C-alpha cells in the first residue's frame, strides 16, 4: 500500500438547484419544465437586459477550457460553460483518401450523448441528438478554409490521416452547440500528429516510419476553425449562451458558425417556433459584437503562430494548460474584461 | 511472454511497482451538480466517471417494477477515444453489456434495495481512458457516486484485479499486464464483512494457486477501501465546511 496517495481537490458543491424540478424530453434535447410564472420572470428580465444569473443578453458565462486531458488521444479538451460539460478526444488514424479528394485527409465526427448527462440518453436515447450535433459539425467544417486537409495527406490516393473527432457529452446545462464547437477547436489545437517518413525500397514497396519523438509532430492550424454562436430568441430580444431554463422559454434560435475574422461558415435555425426575416438579420448582425467580446479574446490562444513555429525549431511544443481532469487548474476565459483575458492568454501561450 | 519481462528478478513490475502494490488512486466526489450523485476516479491511467440518479419512479415500462425492492439499472460505456485503438460504439457491444450485468449484480448485492420498493436507481459509468482494470475502476467510482447520492449501502464495494505471473500474484493489473494473457481475477468485496459481491476469473490457473491470488486481490481491495474511505471523509469535511455557516444559523 506504499504507492497509495489520494489527491483530493477542492470541490464545487452546488446547494441550490433552481427550476430543475421536473424534466421532459422535447425534440431530443435535454430540457427542463418551467411553470408559466417562471417563464414570465425570465422573459421580463431579458426585456430589461438582465438575466436570472445577472448577465446581460449578450454575455457568455465563464468558459473553462482544459486541454491534454486524455493521454492516449492525439488531442483532447474539456470545456465547461456553466453546467454544460463536454469532453472531446481527437484520434488520428491512417486511412485511404476519399476518391473525390485524393490529395486530402478527412475528419469524422461522432457525438456520444452519454447517460451521464441525463437518464433520457440511456441506451439509444441520445442517438438522435448525437447525430444532429454531428451533422452540424460536418456542415461547419464543410469548406476549404476551416482546416487545411491537404496537410493531412501522407501519400496522394494511398494514405492520409483521418481525424476522428469524438465528442462526449458529460453534462447538459444549455448551449450545447457553442460548448462543443469550442471544445472541438481546443482539441484540434491540442492535437499532435506524429510526422511520417515514407521509405521506398528498390521494388517500389513503401514503408512508413512514424516518429517516436513526441515533439517531432505536426500541429494543425486552427486559426480558421469556426466557433458556433447560438442566439436564442426570447420575447422581443435575443440572448447568447442560454441556460436550460432560458432555452425552455425560447421558441426558436439561430445557430451561426463564425471564424475569428467574422466570416460566416454555416447558419441554421433551430427550434419549433418561427422567426421573421428581420429578426434573423438582426441576430446575425450581432455576431460582430459578440465576436468582439468573445472570439476577439480568443485568437491569442488559438493562433498557432509564435508558439508552434518556434516550437518546431526548439523542439518545444506550446501548451497553454496542462492538467488532469476535474482538478482546479483550469484556464478561465471570461468574456469580461476582454483585455485582461487577452493578456493572460497571450502570456500563457508565449510562456513556453 | 517473450520480449517483455513483466516481473523483474528484483521483483519489480513494468511500471515499477512491487507485486502487491496498487497504482495511484485519485478520487473526487460530487463533480456534477445536476445528477443526484457523481464521482470521478483515476487509478493510474484508467479514468472513470460514475453518475447516479435516483431512487426515483420506474421509468419506461412499469412491468420492471419490483414490489419488495428497488430496481438497480446500470449502464457501462467506454468513450470512443478511451482505448488505444478507436472504438466504434461507446456501449451496446457484447463486452459492455457483460460489464453492465456485472455492475448490476455487484450493486444489487451492496445497496439496501429493500428500503425503496417500486423505485429505480440508475448507475451510469463511463470509462474516459482505459489502461487496465476497467471493471474495478468502475465499481470504485460507482461506490463513491452512490455514497454521494446518499443511497444506503451495506458497505463500500471495493474492487481490484489480480493476476498470476511467474509464480507471483500481482495486484491491480495494468493494460500491459492484462494483455500478456495470464490468468486474471476480478474481485468486488464488501471489505468490513469480507463478503464477495462479484468474483470472476479468466484464463487458466492451477487450483493450488487460487487461494494466493484471492488473498492478493482481497488485500488489494482492502487497500482500495482505505483510499476510498479517506476520499469520502475528505469530501464530507469539505462539504460540511462549505455548509458550516448555514448549519450554525
Amino acid at each position: 500500500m506504499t504507492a497509495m496517495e489520494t489527491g483530493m481537490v477542492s470541490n464545487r458543491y452546488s446547494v441550490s438547484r433552481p427550476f430543475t424540478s421536473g424534466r421532459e424530453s422535447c425534440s431530443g434535447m435535454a430540457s427542463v419544465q418551467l411553470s408559466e410564472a417562471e417563464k414570465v420572470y425570465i422573459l421580463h428580465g431579458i426585456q430589461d437586459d438582465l438575466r436570472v444569473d445577472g448577465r446581460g443578453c449578450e454575455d457568455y458565462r465563464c468558459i473553462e477550457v482544459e486541454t491534454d486531458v486524455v493521454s492516449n488521444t492525439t488531442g483532447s479538451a474539456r470545456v465547461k460553460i456553466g453546467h454544460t460539460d463536454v469532453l472531446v478526444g481527437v484520434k488520428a488514424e491512417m486511412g485511404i483518401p476519399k476518391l473525390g479528394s485524393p490529395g486530402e485527409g478527412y475528419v469524422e465526427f461522432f457525438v456520444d450523448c452519454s447517460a451521464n448527462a441525463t437518464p433520457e440518453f440511456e441506451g439509444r436515447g441520445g442517438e438522435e441528438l448525437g447525430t444532429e450535433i454531428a451533422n452540424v459539425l460536418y456542415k461547419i467544417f464543410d469548406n476549404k478554409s476551416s482546416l487545411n486537409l491537404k496537410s493531412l495527406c501522407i501519400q496522394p490516393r494511398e494514405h492520409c490521416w483521418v481525424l476522428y473527432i469524438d465528442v462526449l457529452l458529460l453534462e447538459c446545462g444549455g448551449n450545447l452547440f457553442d460548448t462543443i464547437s469550442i471544445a472541438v477547436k481546443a482539441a484540434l489545437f491540442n492535437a499532435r500528429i506524429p510526422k511520417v517518413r515514407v521509405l521506398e525500397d528498390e521494388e517500389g514497396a513503401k514503408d512508413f516510419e512514424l516518429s517516436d519523438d513526441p515533439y517531432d509532430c505536426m500541429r494543425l492550424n486552427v486559426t480558421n476553425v469556426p466557433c458556433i454562436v447560438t442566439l436564442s430568441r426570447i420575447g422581443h430580444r435575443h440572448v447568447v449562451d442560454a441556460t436550460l431554463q432560458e432555452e425552455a422559454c425560447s421558441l426558436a434560435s439561430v445557430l451561426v458558425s463564425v471564424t475569428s475574422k467574422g466570416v460566416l461558415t454555416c447558419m441554421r435555425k433551430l427550434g419549433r417556433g418561427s422567426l421573421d426575416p428581420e429578426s434573423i438579420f438582426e441576430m446575425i448582425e450581432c455576431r460582430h459584437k459578440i465576436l468582439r467580446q468573445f472570439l476577439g479574446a480568443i485568437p491569442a490562444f488559438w493562433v498557432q503562430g509564435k508558439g508552434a513555429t518556434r516550437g518546431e525549431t526548439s523542439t518545444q511544443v506550446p501548451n497553454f494548460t496542462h492538467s488532469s481532469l476535474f482538478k482546479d487548474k483550469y484556464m478561465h476565459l471570461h468574456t469580461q474584461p476582454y483585455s485582461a483575458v487577452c493578456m493572460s492568454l497571450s502570456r500563457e501561450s508565449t510562456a513556453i | 511472454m517473450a520480449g517483455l519481462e513483466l516481473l523483474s528478478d528484483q521483483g519489480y513490475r513494468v511500471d515499477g511497482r512491487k507485486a502487491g502494490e496498487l497504482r495511484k488512486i485519485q478520487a473526487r466526489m460530487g463533480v456534477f451538480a445536476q445528477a443526484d450523485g457523481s464521482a470521478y476516479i483515476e487509478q493510474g491511467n484508467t479514468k472513470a466517471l460514475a453518475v447516479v440518479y435516483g431512487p426515483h419512479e420506474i421509468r419506461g415500462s412499469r412491468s420492471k417494477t419490483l414490489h419488495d425492492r428497488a430496481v438497480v439499472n446500470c449502464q457501462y460505456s467506454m468513450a470512443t477515444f478511451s482505448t488505444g485503438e478507436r472504438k466504434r460504439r461507446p456501449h451496446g457491444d457484447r463486452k459492455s453489456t457483460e460489464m453492465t450485468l456485472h455492475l448490476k449484480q455487484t450493486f444489487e448485492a451492496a445497496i439496501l434495495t429493500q428500503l425503496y420498493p417500486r423505485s429505480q436507481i440508475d448507475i451510469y459509468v463511463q470509462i474516459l481512458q482505459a489502461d487496465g482494470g476497467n471493471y474495478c475502476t468502475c465499481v470504485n467510482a460507482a461506490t463513491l457516486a452512490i455514497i454521494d447520492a446518499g443511497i444506503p449501502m451495506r458497505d463500500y464495494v471495493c474492487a481490484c484485479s489480480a493476476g498470476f505471473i511467474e509464480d507471483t500474484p500481482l495486484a491491480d493489473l495494468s493494460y500491459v499486464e492484462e494483455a500478456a494473457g495470464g490468468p486474471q481475477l476480478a474481485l468486488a468485496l464488501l471489505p468490513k464483512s469480507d463478503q464477495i459481491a462479484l468474483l470472476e476469473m479468466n484464463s487458466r490457473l492451477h487450483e493450488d494457486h487460487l487461494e494466493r491470488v484471492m488473498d492478493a486481490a482481497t488485500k488489494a481491495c482492502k487497500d482500495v477501501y482505505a483510499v476510498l474511505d479517506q476520499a469520502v471523509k475528505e469530501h464530507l469535511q469539505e462539504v460540511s465546511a462549505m455548509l458550516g455557516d448555514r448549519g450554525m444559523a
Side-chain angles (χ1 to χ4, degrees), chain A residues 29-169:
Chain A
M29 279 276 213
S31 56
V32 289
Q33 245 173 349
L34 292 189
S35 68
E36 271 316 303
E38 283 170 321
K39 281 188 184 173
V40 167
Y41 181 70
I42 291 173
L43 204 83
H44 284 178
I46 285 168
Q47 265 166 12
D48 297 334
D49 198 20
L50 183 65
R51 291 155 76 175
V52 176
D53 44 13
R55 286 181 289 159
C57 283
E58 289 176 1
D59 292 338
Y60 268 80
R61 286 170 286 184
C62 184
I63 304 172
E64 295 170 7
V65 184
E66 240 183 309
T67 55
D68 228 1
V69 283
V70 184
S71 56
N72 59 3
T73 55
T74 311
S76 60
R78 174 185 180 233
V79 172
K80 199 164 155 40
I81 304 185
H83 283 303
T84 307
D85 203 331
V86 165
L87 185 64
V88 172
V90 177
K91 264 187 188 289
E93 285 185 8
M94 265 204 219
I96 303 162
K98 291 192 169 161
L99 284 174
S101 50
E104 294 178 355
Y106 58 98
V107 286
E108 291 277 357
F109 290 99
F110 176 77
V111 181
D112 177 17
C113 298
S114 76
N116 280 22
T118 143
E120 288 147 34
F121 292 155
E122 197 192 334
R124 316 193 66 155
E127 267 177 30
E128 201 183 320
L129 179 64
T131 319
E132 189 191 344
I133 298 173
N135 285 339
V136 170
L137 288 172
Y138 275 116
K139 278 196 187 112
I140 69 167
F141 277 85
D142 186 23
N143 61 65
K144 291 262 180 286
S145 66
S146 292
L147 259 184
N148 181 12
L149 294 174
K150 288 203 176 82
S151 66
L152 296 176
C153 182
I154 300 165
Q155 283 244 296
R157 277 174 234 283
E158 283 170 36
H159 296 281
C160 68
W161 286 113
V162 184
L163 293 183
Y164 289 98
I165 303 178
D166 294 317
V167 179
L168 177 63
L169 209 62

Side-chain angles (χ1 to χ4, degrees), chain A residues 72, chain B residues 45-47 78 82-84 127-132 134 175:
Chain A
N72 59 3
Chain B
N45 276 329
T46 305
K47 297 169 186 171
M78 286 176 91
S82 63
T83 47
I127 290 280
L128 301 178
Q129 189 173 338
D131 186 41
N134 296 347
Y175 177 76

Side-chain angles (χ1 to χ4, degrees), chain A residues 5 8 12 71-72 326, chain B residues 25 28 31 34 82 129 234:
Chain A
E5 296 160 56
M8 287 298 295
R12 160 179 59 79
S71 56
N72 59 3
F326 299 106
Chain B
I25 301 178
R28 224 186 123 172
V31 286
Q34 284 180 350
S82 63
Q129 189 173 338
E234 277 177 36

